Amino acid sequence: METALADGSIHDAASCAAWLHCYLQTTLVYNDALAMQLAAADPRVAQLCALSRELSVCLMAPEARQANSAIGRRLLQITAENFPGPLVDSLAREAASGRWLAHPALVMAAVGHDLAAPWQEVCALYLHSCLTSLVQNAVRAVPLGQVAGQEVLTQLGAPIIDAVARATRADPADLGTSGPLLDVLQCEHETQTGRMFIS
């Protein structure tokens, strides 16, 4: 997103909302949301490890892989301390031994599993959190302003519910699908002169 901000593709509330909607309906549906659905269907540690590896290799830019893993490890640390449970604890041990690349979506899927929460609700909250973080980046970088940022988030409410439904119907073989432009933007971000955000 920071590359799109720098090149002017995102320059106001409307362009921000359109960019985030596209990101949600492509990358977040077929990576994070689909991985959460697959984890809910088979919540074994081995399955979550396999899903995490697949998501990692699907990221073209090394910086994006490293940032994703760093965010996942931090989220896992926070959840293991505050929401301990059998699956979260097992994944924490796997991550500590280097056998699991902690993906944020799969950390949240594990928390949801341990709390016996419906994966669709956990997924919708997770997607909302991802988009909130990106909107806050745009609020500071465009700058959008807080009111415009909240309006953008409001516009994404129904698309988030649709994204969860699309992940439910998605073919498992689609895991890791992304828009080619996002791959280009992520690769360009590694050499961008000014960078405020790591992911």
Side-chain angles (χ1 to χ4, degrees):
M1 182 181 192
E2 190 168 25
T3 312
L5 289 163
D7 70 14
S9 299
I10 299 174
H11 55 274
D12 59 12
S15 58
C16 180
W19 195 93
L20 289 173
H21 185 269
C22 183
Y23 177 64
L24 171 66
Q25 296 299 330
T26 55
T27 301
L28 287 179
V29 166
Y30 296 109
N31 287 266
D32 302 61
L34 180 53
M36 293 179 81
Q37 188 265 334
L38 295 171
D42 183 1
R44 293 174 299 125
V45 170
Q47 167 72 345
L48 272 69
C49 289
L51 290 170
S52 186
R53 281 192 302 274
E54 188 167 347
L55 289 172
S56 180
V57 299
C58 288
L59 278 172
M60 183 181 294
E63 180 192 51
R65 285 196 300 273
Q66 293 163 2
N68 216 26
S69 182
I71 292 167
R73 285 192 309 272
R74 180 59 57 89
L75 184 58
L76 181 60
Q77 177 187 0
I78 293 167
T79 55
E81 292 173 1
N82 295 285
F83 301 99
L87 187 54
V88 168
D89 292 346
S90 294
L91 291 174
R93 287 191 296 275
E94 292 293 308
S97 70
R99 292 187 298 264
W100 188 53
L101 302 170
H103 190 284
L106 295 172
V107 173
M108 293 311 300
V111 172
H113 177 268
D114 284 344
L115 295 175
W119 82 266
Q120 296 92 337
E121 291 181 19
V122 175
C123 186
L125 291 169
Y126 171 81
L127 295 176
H128 186 270
S129 174
C130 291
L131 294 173
T132 298
S133 177
L134 292 171
V135 167
Q136 286 305 311
N137 292 348
V139 164
R140 295 190 300 274
V142 172
L144 286 185
Q146 292 293 336
V147 172
Q150 289 302 314
E151 290 171 352
V152 169
L153 273 177
T154 299
Q155 293 173 34
L156 293 168
I160 287 172
I161 302 304
D162 179 61
V164 175
R166 289 179 62 197
T168 303
R169 300 186 304 268
D171 186 328
D174 290 336
L175 184 67
T177 301
S178 182
L181 179 57
L182 181 65
D183 291 331
V184 171
L185 293 174
Q186 288 176 337
C187 290
E188 289 177 351
H189 187 258
E190 293 185 352
T191 57
Q192 191 169 306
T193 303
R195 297 183 296 171
M196 293 184 289
F197 313 111
I198 64 167
S199 63

